[in-house]
Amino acid sequence: CEDYLDINVDPNNPPTSTPELTLPAGQGELAYVLGNQFQFMGNFFAQHWTQAGAANQYCDLELYQITSSDYDARVWGELYAGALNDFLFVSQQAAEEGDLGAQAIGEIMQVYTMQVITDAWGDVPYTASLAGLENANPEYQPQEEIYDGLIDQLNTALALIDEGGSTDIGASDLVYGGDLDLWRRFANTLKLRIYLRQAYVRPEVAQSGIQEMYASGAQFLQMGETGDVEFADQTQNRNPFYQTQVVFRGGVDVVASNTALNYLQETGDPRIDQFYAPAQTGPNAGSFVGVDQGVECTPERTGNQSNTVSKPGPAVASPATAVPFISAAESYFLQAEAVARGWTGAAGGDASELYAQGIRASFDYLGEDVSQVDQLLQQEAVAYPTGGSVEEQVEQIITQKWLSFNGVQGFEAWTEVRRTGYPSFIEPSAASTLGTDLIPKRLVYPNTEAIRNQNYPGLVEISVPVWWDVKD
Amino acid sequence: QGARTVSGRVTDQETGQPLPGVAVIVRGTTVGTTTGANGEYTINVPANSNTLVFRFLGYAEVQRAVGNASTIDVALGFDAEQLQEVVVTALGREEEERTLGYATQQVGSEQITQGRERSVANALQGKVAGVNIQSQGGGPGSSTRVVIRGAKSISQSNQALFVIDGIPVDNSSSGTGDNLNAGVDVGNRANDINPDDIESINILKGPAAAALYGARAANGVIMITTKSGKGATKKAEITYLTSYTVEDILRYPELQNRYGQGFFGEPDLLENTSWGPIFTGEVLPWGQIIDNQQRVKPYVALEDNIKEFFDYGYNWTNTVSLSGAAENATYYASYSNTQQEGVVPTTEYSRNSLAIKGTTKLVNKFNSTVSMTYTKSGGDFALTGQGNSVFNQIIQTPRDIPVRELEDLDNPFNDEAGFYSPYTINPYWSLRNQTYENDVDRLFGNITLGYDIMEGLNVTYRIGTDFYTDRRKQFMAIRNVEGQNASNNDNGMYSERQIYYREINSDLIVSYNRDLSEVLTLDVLLGNNINQRENDDLTATADALANNEFRSLSNIIGTPLTTSFRDKRRLVGVYGSAKVGFRNFLWLEVTGRNDWSSTLPIGDNSFFYPSVNVAFDAAEAFGLAENTPINFAKFRANYANVGNDALPYSTRSVFVSGNISDGFAGTDLNFPFAGLPGFEVSNVIGNANLAPENTSSWEVGADMRFFNERLRLDAAYYNSKSTDQIINVPLSFATGFGSAFLNAATIRNEGIELLVGGVPIETNDFSWDISVNFTKNENMVEDVAGDNEISLGGLSSAALVISEGRPYGTFLAEDYLRDPQGRIVVNASTGRPRLSTEQTYQGSIQPDWQGGLVNTFRYKGLRMSIVFDTRQGGKLYSRTRGTQRFAGTAPETLFNDRQPYIIPNSVVQVGTSDEYVENTTPLTNTNLYEYWGNLPEGTNIIDASFTKLREVSVSYRLPASLVERTFFGNIEVGLSGRNLILWTPDENTYIDPEVNSFGNGNLQGYEFSSYPSTRSWGANLRVTF
């Protein structure tokens, strides 16, 4: 009888897994969130994209009316219970198997994911998280503590690689195919990002951390070394922005924001035809034309069809468009900022050259001819303000960095706008329901937390900055 | 008067044929006999007794005073209407109803088939107490939910178990998984049962009644007994039945007829909303300019443009059956065909069933029954829900658009490129090019073999099976046009799904009964049950087609996405019951069952549950029948415990193939990813320590009859508590998981059921039988682990949840922000309401009470039955309301004739303070749409009360004198109507509140652009040869 009844083994799902099987699931989930919900949100808030006139699907993003159910189970849930928990499994299981390289990759991906979470929501569960039923009500932790913890975690991961760790993970690593040298540079670049995020709130911590990195000869991601997840032109394997906006919604919602489009046109930037597509019909057919941020969600709306203006272009809205975690361009812009702030010592190189490399890396990633960059750098609005104040230099770096994020790294674009206040020409959406000078400063905690977590800290409004966001 | 001997012959009233096996009982005594093969009997009537009672299944009981007679011949009339004395209880046993200590209600075949309803479940509506029967929509082949005495389980089914001839059969309903977008109600499997094959249905309401069936019967049982040929005459009888009913929509939403197509008060020929200018009657162009031409029409409201979209549907059923009986054998065979065409063009359903059943009583003490039914069913369904479903589109259509003129898809103004609006698609195009069809082949049946070892001792073995395949095909055509409608371009989609289900059920039953003494009787039963259920489900979906020419997985681009799922569960049970009767007026029964289930942790998978019930017939005990108008007075009480196991595979954590979704259809990232497999840590924590669920209940009731059974009363009070409910308890995602299986909820159901019936008038030619049923069930979730709120589903902005201290299925929805005085707080700059930061509870789906009224009139061969059905209280989310507000077609959007106005009694918050001042910002023409289109979702939750004229039927049996001259045995003609009139509260101008979009599962209370319900009427003819 016992044998007859011993059949409760799930034939559909395996009881165990390996780092090779679980790492790609975690990376895919993270790329999906960054390439979908956070791509929409980030590119709207950072004003690369705006709502088309003849629809209103994303007006909430223009009105800055983000509710507690907007980024709940499918974003907060996938980041914690999807990506983060999968990466935790990868590092734990790899440690058990003695695959130190895979363990390091798992740790680095955890840090990356955790930074996205805390940058979006501020104080969140960190050390108390991922304990299953052992801690069903994870405590929230100050963002400052989380940032310190992330550095420690990265140091642990880097030590694993530096100690000669190797990995068998191979092609199951969607980002670098198991290349630990690239992962080391990715981790260093991520560490630089984490320090620079604190540049205004804890400059002394940022400075000493960065100095230490340069003193120990840290290497960062270089041209062609963007860490990204490529999508595939197969059923439910496609770029999520493409699947959702271009296919499912028929491309009716998202069009070029004049904020970004004007800057591209003013500077004669050839990347315009990668970021955007010319209007298909109407009086402007064949040319690049945008919409003022948010205006189509106000009574002044024109109601024009999306195809009478520019939509996201081939480099950002194609079936196989990759979602970068950290791009080579971002790496150079981060280094340029570190140098401009004088936090690198002589090892840091030249800020204006790193800045130019950032733009070249962006061209390279988009498939544009890199040789055009020198000409672009002649433009007044693009030229590096060598000799300008630190803040002027930072403004220039962040403005071009922001542009390089167009359509692919929306979340980081918005986050850097929050941190630095650049580009300075960003004005709130015409449809804003916040105060006149405000763009959203965070996401509100998800509804499931209010209901399921007894340590839920209560509502924090979208207008309240996170810890590192101290600059006007 | 002294003892004497009486003899006589019992015959069938209609045919005059003798009836064997009729119980003949001397009233008030234990003296009884049965009639022989020729219908004859002889009985010794003791002194001081003066009444003989004749009882036979399916016939009305007859009582005769003996007086000085020595011969009493009786003709019994077939009468399903009357409460029958012998009922079929758990395991298919036939028991005398008065000996049962629990509530049952029997419905005869005439009541089931009089309305000519295709669905067995629907046919019971309004006729039984304690049972909530909700038909989910008006689509051909749509599903019905049957819940007895309230919902008890959160993660498992709450529907009654369907049992046919003693064997449980599947009644699941698997929809499309995503009912928000392009959902389909594909029906429930009880739809495969042909109502014409049913002899009677007995409803076992409480756990006590069903304890012997074990786990699945905690929700009560619908015991169906099919026709067997029993009671038929020796000659073969052929019955032919045909019925034709016509149907149309029961409830159209009310519409405004003042403003037409447009936006912001201005005309806009692309719009699919009615926010345009006031109607002028001018002849104006409409739609696109195609080849320099444009259509024109008067700018006036078309009051019936929505109505005109719908057709008349029909349902044509033909059944032919053959039955007969020989000395020791009976047989029944039937073929039935049902063709249904829906009110929405292109929708249809058909069912063909072939049933055979035979019984024999062999000389060597064996008896056997074989029954088998093959059904082939399936249909073409319309997609429901948001997006481009026809129901969503048709409700939005501007008040001046002539819908019927859109029908010709070859017309360049109507095709994909030429259709007037880019915001929607032509509903006729959608119906023809976005299809969903299924095809079910099903076989169920059983073989029963019994052996009488000795007098009173019988052993019976029964094995039954139920299996089906359900093959489904979904198709969405490629759309590829240029111009304004390019935004609806689509690569097409094709999907095939195959569902296979099989259940095997084996019972070995030993029964023993004997009279222990003059005054004591004993019935003992011991049994073993083995049950296995398995599912196998395979789906392949392609999201790009090569062309629109044919519908096949070979006609796609790229690799189809394939998923498969299977599960299997087994249960072994041992059960027993003992029933002791005392002096024919007191019965005590105890039962017990122990189950071992494969879905519980191995080693801890055994659970036992007992029940006890008592029945006391006071009329018999105190001889009330002799001296008072009380003919019958039974009191009953019971206590029962029923265990339940878990869903398969809940006992351990697993890894699942990677999938992440943003909620839009077909936009997931699904592994394998570019050929690479990926398995993520499942978000559900398995539990190796799961314990079985338990429902314990008690019940008291009375069944009384007065004035020669002219007045009947049956009342019951029950109270059940379901504990250790296995639920998927939601966890903070920050734990790394979304939920865990835990024994973690308690739900109580408490209620009363009343059934009052009477025969106010009864003469030789005329009778009026009236019966009222009333049910009040109070449902309360008494405990949920960690004060969690468990979502049953729905919308994130209007979810249906389980929450401690509230009824099962309470709405948690967006609400207005209100000041401490309850006034609506608006945005100072727009004058539009602000949303509360937290969602609020806005009522539950549970009705306060429900009831039915059944009137039956007979005059000679004429019979008329009228059934009313009502449900009062409870809430419903109506997407139609939301859509009509958004689209400006609802009459309420005419408020203040669409001139600027300030929301009455609204206030503005001063800064972020607690101070509120009167609002002075009016809503204007330019944001009226935004006001109506963005009201909190909670405002779409409406009162779900209704009353329906559920059924009217008239039948006429031609007098025997006429029929005799033909070769027919019997001719009956009839008229039937169902759901003819609907009454609802004033606030519901939208829909029939019975409609539910999410199928017949636990997620109820959502009308989400559903297939509207229908009313039907028609005629039927029954002849026998």
Side-chain angles (χ1 to χ4, degrees), chain B residues 481-660:
Chain B
V481 298
E482 292 186 353
Q484 65 162 45
N485 292 350
S487 58
N488 287 312
N489 281 354
D490 191 274
N491 296 329
M493 175 268 201
Y494 183 72
S495 173
E496 286 194 15
R497 179 174 178 199
Q498 299 205 353
I499 302 167
Y500 172 79
Y501 175 86
R502 185 171 73 130
E503 171 163 1
I504 298 174
N505 214 74
S506 149
D507 276 292
L508 179 66
I509 304 165
V510 179
S511 65
Y512 177 68
N513 60 73
R514 64 168 291 195
D515 294 343
L516 295 176
S517 71
E518 285 285 294
V519 294
L520 279 182
T521 59
L522 176 68
D523 286 277
V524 181
L525 178 145
L526 286 172
N528 161 263
N529 169 245
I530 299 170
N531 175 274
Q532 174 177 304
R533 283 173 271 163
E534 58 188 305
N535 285 290
D536 212 326
D537 199 323
L538 174 70
T539 305
T541 305
D543 66 357
L545 300 182
N547 57 59
N548 286 340
E549 299 306 310
F550 63 108
R551 301 174 182 194
S552 160
L553 283 171
S554 64
N555 190 26
I556 65 169
I557 291 173
T559 319
L561 182 73
T562 54
T563 55
S564 69
F565 169 84
R566 62 181 69 94
D567 69 18
K568 186 189 277 187
R569 62 197 295 166
R570 286 177 175 155
L571 187 117
V572 175
V574 175
Y575 50 82
S577 79
K579 184 171 179 178
V580 178
F582 176 70
R583 282 196 188 278
N584 206 26
F585 61 73
L586 181 66
W587 294 267
L588 172 72
E589 183 183 35
V590 294
T591 74
R593 178 166 170 138
N594 199 89
D595 282 335
W596 291 264
S597 166
S598 71
T599 67
L600 292 169
I602 197 93
D604 196 12
N605 59 3
S606 162
F607 51 108
F608 174 79
Y609 40 93
S611 85
V612 55
N613 68 75
V614 175
F616 174 62
D617 182 350
E620 184 80 39
F622 306 122
L624 300 177
E626 313 292 317
N627 314 311
T628 70
I630 303 171
N631 309 113
F632 183 71
K634 183 179 87 170
F635 298 93
R636 54 178 191 251
N638 66 64
Y639 170 82
N641 224 306
V642 180
N644 198 4
D645 53 6
L647 292 170
Y649 317 132
S650 309
T651 54
R652 57 189 111 181
S653 301
V654 293
F655 290 78
V656 298
S657 185
N659 176 276
I660 171 167

Side-chain angles (χ1 to χ4, degrees), chain A residues 1-18 20-33 36-37 40 53-58 60 63 65 67-69 72-74 76-78 80-83 85-86 89 125 128-133 135-138 140 171-174 229-238 240 242-244 246-252 281 297-299 301 303 305-307 433 447-454 456 459 461, chain B residues 181 263-264 270-271 422-423 483-491 530-532 541-544 557-561 564-572 596-605 647-683 685 730-740 742 786-789 796-797 812 814 827 832 835 837-839 886 926-927 929-930 934:
Chain A
C1 186
E2 288 297 278
D3 280 351
Y4 180 74
L5 293 173
D6 191 7
I7 57 163
N8 206 31
V9 178
D10 190 339
N12 311 291
N13 300 302
T16 60
S17 183
T18 62
E20 288 81 1
L21 284 172
T22 298
L23 179 65
Q27 290 175 334
E29 285 158 345
L30 180 61
Y32 188 92
V33 169
N36 197 12
Q37 296 98 331
F40 283 96
N56 62 0
Q57 177 81 10
Y58 296 101
D60 286 352
L63 271 63
Q65 280 183 345
T67 72
S68 60
S69 53
D72 198 340
R74 292 196 177 104
W76 169 274
E78 288 293 348
Y80 268 112
N85 204 34
D86 289 345
F89 171 81
S129 69
L130 309 189
L133 287 173
N135 186 359
N137 297 289
Y140 282 59
S172 294
D173 168 14
L174 297 175
V229 170
E230 282 176 31
F231 285 84
D233 191 5
Q234 288 174 25
T235 305
Q236 296 191 12
N237 275 188
R238 298 189 180 95
Y242 172 82
Q243 285 190 138
T244 299
V246 182
V247 179
F248 183 81
R249 293 281 305 164
V252 300
T281 60
C297 299
T298 71
R301 72 197 273 273
Q305 297 276 318
S306 61
N307 50 16
T433 53
N447 199 36
T448 52
E449 280 297 293
I451 295 168
R452 303 178 186 180
N453 189 345
Q454 287 165 8
Y456 167 67
L459 176 79
E461 300 277 4
Chain B
N181 305 292
F263 214 71
F264 291 143
L270 304 184
E271 265 304 339
Y423 311 127
Q484 65 162 45
N485 292 350
S487 58
N488 287 312
N489 281 354
D490 191 274
N491 296 329
I530 299 170
N531 175 274
Q532 174 177 304
T541 305
D543 66 357
I557 291 173
T559 319
L561 182 73
S564 69
F565 169 84
R566 62 181 69 94
D567 69 18
K568 186 189 277 187
R569 62 197 295 166
R570 286 177 175 155
L571 187 117
V572 175
W596 291 264
S597 166
S598 71
T599 67
L600 292 169
I602 197 93
D604 196 12
N605 59 3
L647 292 170
Y649 317 132
S650 309
T651 54
R652 57 189 111 181
S653 301
V654 293
F655 290 78
V656 298
S657 185
N659 176 276
I660 171 167
S661 161
D662 63 0
F664 290 122
T667 63
D668 298 15
L669 168 60
N670 207 73
F671 278 79
F673 185 14
L676 193 71
F679 285 86
E680 57 180 305
V681 183
S682 168
N683 285 357
I685 302 176
L731 298 176
S732 158
F733 288 108
T735 62
F737 300 89
S739 61
L742 297 174
D787 297 327
N788 256 299
E789 217 154 46
S796 58
S797 47
L812 181 62
E814 284 179 353
N827 182 311
R832 281 171 45 197
L835 291 191
T837 50
E838 296 205 2
Q839 300 189 341
F886 153 82
T926 52
N927 67 5
Y929 142 76
E930 285 175 85
N934 289 293

Side-chain angles (χ1 to χ4, degrees), chain B residues 33-87:
Chain B
T33 184
T34 55
T35 56
N38 50 9
E40 286 170 1
Y41 71 95
T42 302
I43 192 166
N44 292 312
V45 181
N48 301 322
S49 295
N50 197 31
T51 307
L52 287 183
V53 182
F54 298 84
R55 291 198 189 112
F56 194 48
L57 179 65
Y59 289 80
E61 178 185 300
V62 168
Q63 299 200 11
R64 285 293 172 84
V66 179
N68 294 321
S70 59
T71 304
I72 297 178
D73 291 338
V74 173
L76 294 185
F78 179 78
D79 191 356
E81 198 70 356
Q82 194 151 340
L83 286 177
Q84 285 163 6
E85 302 296 322
V86 177
V87 294

Side-chain angles (χ1 to χ4, degrees), chain B residues 346-392:
Chain B
T346 75
T347 60
E348 59 182 42
Y349 170 79
S350 73
R351 178 180 67 213
N352 284 283
S353 70
L354 194 61
I356 53 169
K357 184 172 180 181
T359 64
T360 59
K361 209 178 185 77
L362 304 173
V363 280
N364 52 2
K365 297 182 177 173
F366 278 101
N367 59 71
S368 64
T369 302
V370 176
S371 103
M372 197 154 288
T373 303
Y374 167 73
T375 306
K376 184 171 179 58
S377 65
D380 292 330
F381 305 92
L383 305 181
T384 65
Q386 63 189 15
N388 286 331
S389 86
V390 289
F391 307 105
N392 191 34

Side-chain angles (χ1 to χ4, degrees), chain B residues 674-855:
Chain B
L676 193 71
F679 285 86
E680 57 180 305
V681 183
S682 168
N683 285 357
V684 183
I685 302 176
N687 184 345
N689 300 309
L690 279 184
E693 300 180 346
N694 190 288
T695 296
S696 65
S697 82
W698 60 273
E699 172 188 345
V700 290
D703 181 358
M704 322 253 306
R705 299 174 203 181
F706 311 91
F707 309 112
N708 295 324
E709 307 217 358
R710 293 284 286 271
L711 180 64
R712 313 182 295 271
L713 170 73
D714 193 320
Y717 166 82
Y718 61 85
N719 191 323
S720 83
K721 185 175 180 182
S722 302
T723 53
D724 282 340
Q725 288 289 302
I726 298 170
I727 52 173
N728 208 351
V729 178
L731 298 176
S732 158
F733 288 108
T735 62
F737 300 89
S739 61
F741 283 112
L742 297 174
N743 289 99
T746 301
I747 295 171
R748 186 179 293 279
N749 279 283
E750 181 182 12
I752 52 173
E753 292 157 6
L754 266 180
L755 195 61
V756 181
V759 187
I761 302 171
E762 186 169 39
T763 68
N764 279 341
D765 286 338
F766 180 78
S767 74
W768 171 28
D769 187 299
I770 179 167
S771 159
V772 179
N773 63 70
F774 171 85
T775 304
K776 182 172 177 60
N777 182 64
E778 274 185 15
N779 176 298
M780 186 58 66
V781 177
E782 294 194 340
D783 180 45
V784 179
D787 297 327
N788 256 299
E789 217 154 46
I790 313 253
S791 177
L792 291 168
L795 306 172
S796 58
S797 47
L800 196 70
V801 301
I802 300 291
S803 177
E804 202 166 302
R806 297 178 190 279
Y808 188 106
T810 295
F811 283 107
L812 181 62
E814 284 179 353
D815 203 349
Y816 292 115
L817 182 66
R818 291 179 188 274
D819 74 354
Q821 295 176 45
R823 295 174 297 185
I824 292 174
V825 181
V826 303
N827 182 311
S829 59
T830 63
R832 281 171 45 197
R834 291 170 58 188
L835 291 191
S836 165
T837 50
E838 296 205 2
Q839 300 189 341
T840 60
Y841 294 104
Q842 303 195 26
S844 92
I845 56 171
Q846 304 292 342
D848 298 334
W849 63 272
Q850 61 191 71
L853 169 66
V854 183
N855 277 290

Side-chain angles (χ1 to χ4, degrees), chain A residues 204-460:
Chain A
E204 67 294 340
V205 171
Q207 180 174 358
S208 69
I210 291 170
Q211 276 168 344
E212 199 182 307
M213 288 180 76
Y214 277 87
S216 62
Q219 291 184 313
F220 304 99
L221 292 172
Q222 297 172 17
M223 191 80 77
E225 295 179 350
T226 293
D228 61 12
V229 170
E230 282 176 31
F231 285 84
D233 191 5
Q234 288 174 25
T235 305
Q236 296 191 12
N237 275 188
R238 298 189 180 95
N239 176 285
F241 174 77
Y242 172 82
Q243 285 190 138
T244 299
Q245 172 58 212
V246 182
V247 179
F248 183 81
R249 293 281 305 164
V252 300
D253 303 302
V254 178
V255 294
S257 165
N258 275 336
T259 311
L261 191 74
N262 289 346
Y263 182 69
L264 283 165
Q265 284 174 327
E266 282 162 19
T267 57
D269 194 319
R271 285 175 289 179
I272 194 168
D273 52 21
Q274 296 295 342
F275 293 138
Y276 302 114
Q280 291 161 275
T281 60
N284 296 309
S287 57
F288 289 96
V289 57
V291 170
D292 286 344
Q293 190 73 37
V295 75
E296 295 291 358
C297 299
T298 71
E300 282 71 49
R301 72 197 273 273
T302 65
N304 287 340
Q305 297 276 318
S306 61
N307 50 16
T308 62
V309 293
S310 288
K311 296 188 198 179
V316 301
S318 295
T321 298
V323 171
F325 293 151
I326 300 179
S327 58
E330 184 187 356
S331 172
Y332 288 117
F333 289 124
L334 287 166
Q335 294 173 59
E337 182 181 345
V339 173
R341 290 186 184 279
W343 291 351
T344 63
D350 177 52
S352 77
E353 179 48 28
L354 288 163
Y355 168 78
Q357 276 296 91
I359 300 174
R360 287 191 193 101
S362 170
F363 272 63
D364 177 59
Y365 189 71
L366 296 167
E368 280 290 330
D369 182 0
V370 173
S371 66
Q372 302 170 87
V373 173
D374 289 340
Q375 194 192 343
L376 179 64
L377 283 166
Q378 306 303 316
Q379 299 286 328
E380 196 193 326
V382 183
Y384 192 76
T386 310
S389 70
V390 169
E391 207 52 44
E392 281 166 1
Q393 295 181 49
V394 170
E395 176 173 3
Q396 189 59 46
I397 294 165
I398 300 298
T399 302
Q400 272 298 321
K401 181 170 158 183
W402 163 80
L403 192 60
S404 77
F405 289 152
N406 188 315
V408 286
Q409 280 183 273
F411 180 78
E412 188 63 15
W414 168 55
T415 299
E416 286 289 86
V417 170
R418 285 186 288 160
R419 174 175 75 97
T420 64
Y422 305 129
S424 49
F425 48 79
I426 288 184
E427 298 291 332
S429 153
S432 169
T433 53
L434 299 178
T436 43
D437 296 331
L438 283 176
I439 66 162
K441 297 291 193 182
R442 67 163 67 226
L443 298 182
V444 293
Y445 290 127
N447 199 36
T448 52
E449 280 297 293
I451 295 168
R452 303 178 186 180
N453 189 345
Q454 287 165 8
N455 286 311
Y456 167 67
L459 176 79
V460 182

